Amino acid sequence: MCNEFARQKQLADAIAEFDKRALPLFGWRDGLVPNLDAQPQVRIRDTAVVVRLREGRLEGDAVTWAWPGPRGAPVFNFRSEGRDFSHNDRVLVLADAFFEYTAPQAKGVKLKDRHRFTLAGEDWFWIAGIVKEGCFTLLTTEPGPDVKPFHDRQIVTFAPLAGMDWLTLARPERDLLRPGPPGTLAVRTLRKDGVDLV
């Protein structure tokens, strides 16, 4: 399951791109601009930027990742299949990479291999999420061909313009909450220190 993602892009640069891409006007919840620089590692219980649609405007907010589950474990990923999110607080999470880990391929190495996924042809993307109890979780689906060699689930990602459909439900949820075709995501395998292995 995805327990780490990144947002290297500065918020001011991302917001400027919203306008270039003809996305709705952007503002901050309650007019308060969070003090969030680039986040090369966002992990469970960290605060990250989410975006909602409110009265025709995109509204940014700084929200904690993962609410406490019934047994105390954090709910950081949430299975999307068979659920209706039309009455949920739907959000988009701003990111430019997410990570999955697998057993190390090299003999004698204890650390897991780290795989960095980005959206092919874009320098940022959205992750589908919902907010509950003041925290957000990332929605997952069956793995597409780009993720399947690395994990049995994947988070739902959208290209910059496609994310609006999640906020408005302009298309049926079953069409939105699914993996992309082959080549949608680019992957690099990294060592623990972030250096490419392949």
Side-chain angles (χ1 to χ4, degrees):
M1 301 304 262
C2 179
N3 60 15
E4 181 185 353
F5 65 92
R7 179 189 53 80
Q8 300 278 16
K9 188 175 233 12
Q10 294 289 331
L11 289 176
D13 296 337
I15 293 165
E17 283 201 29
F18 294 171
D19 186 49
K20 289 180 194 172
R21 294 172 186 261
L23 291 169
L25 292 173
F26 182 87
W28 290 102
R29 184 177 178 188
D30 302 325
L32 302 174
V33 181
N35 183 18
L36 287 177
D37 293 324
Q39 295 178 279
Q41 291 182 316
V42 182
R43 295 191 172 150
I44 297 166
R45 302 301 297 160
D46 285 349
T47 297
V49 174
V50 303
V51 176
R52 296 176 174 89
L53 189 62
R54 292 277 189 263
E55 299 177 1
R57 289 174 49 103
L58 290 175
E59 179 185 85
D61 199 1
V63 180
T64 301
W65 183 12
W67 62 75
R71 296 186 181 136
V75 180
F76 57 96
N77 288 167
F78 201 72
R79 184 180 289 264
S80 66
E81 293 95 333
R83 293 191 160 113
D84 174 8
F85 297 103
S86 60
H87 299 292
N88 286 94
D89 184 5
R90 295 182 309 282
V91 294
L92 295 167
V93 181
L94 182 63
D96 43 47
F98 69 91
F99 301 90
E100 295 293 354
Y101 292 82
T102 59
Q105 294 182 6
K107 291 183 180 180
V109 175
K110 293 182 180 179
L111 294 175
K112 290 186 175 183
D113 290 338
R114 184 175 189 241
H115 309 282
R116 181 179 189 268
F117 291 87
T118 56
L119 188 64
E122 296 285 356
D123 64 353
W124 63 280
F125 57 89
W126 301 113
I127 304 170
I130 58 170
V131 172
K132 180 178 171 183
E133 300 179 22
C135 301
F136 74 88
T137 191
L138 306 178
L139 298 186
T140 68
T141 188
E142 63 185 22
D146 300 327
V147 175
K148 194 169 188 174
F150 305 93
H151 208 283
D152 61 357
R153 300 288 298 164
Q154 81 167 66
I155 55 173
V156 178
T157 60
F158 300 113
L161 288 176
M164 288 302 299
D165 287 350
W166 170 239
L167 297 181
T168 62
L169 293 183
R171 294 189 288 139
E173 291 180 45
R174 67 181 175 278
D175 294 341
L176 293 168
L177 301 174
R178 58 191 304 171
T184 300
L185 299 169
V187 60
R188 283 178 28 213
T189 299
L190 310 171
R191 289 199 314 244
K192 193 68 172 174
D193 60 8
V195 177
D196 283 2
L197 282 177
V198 291

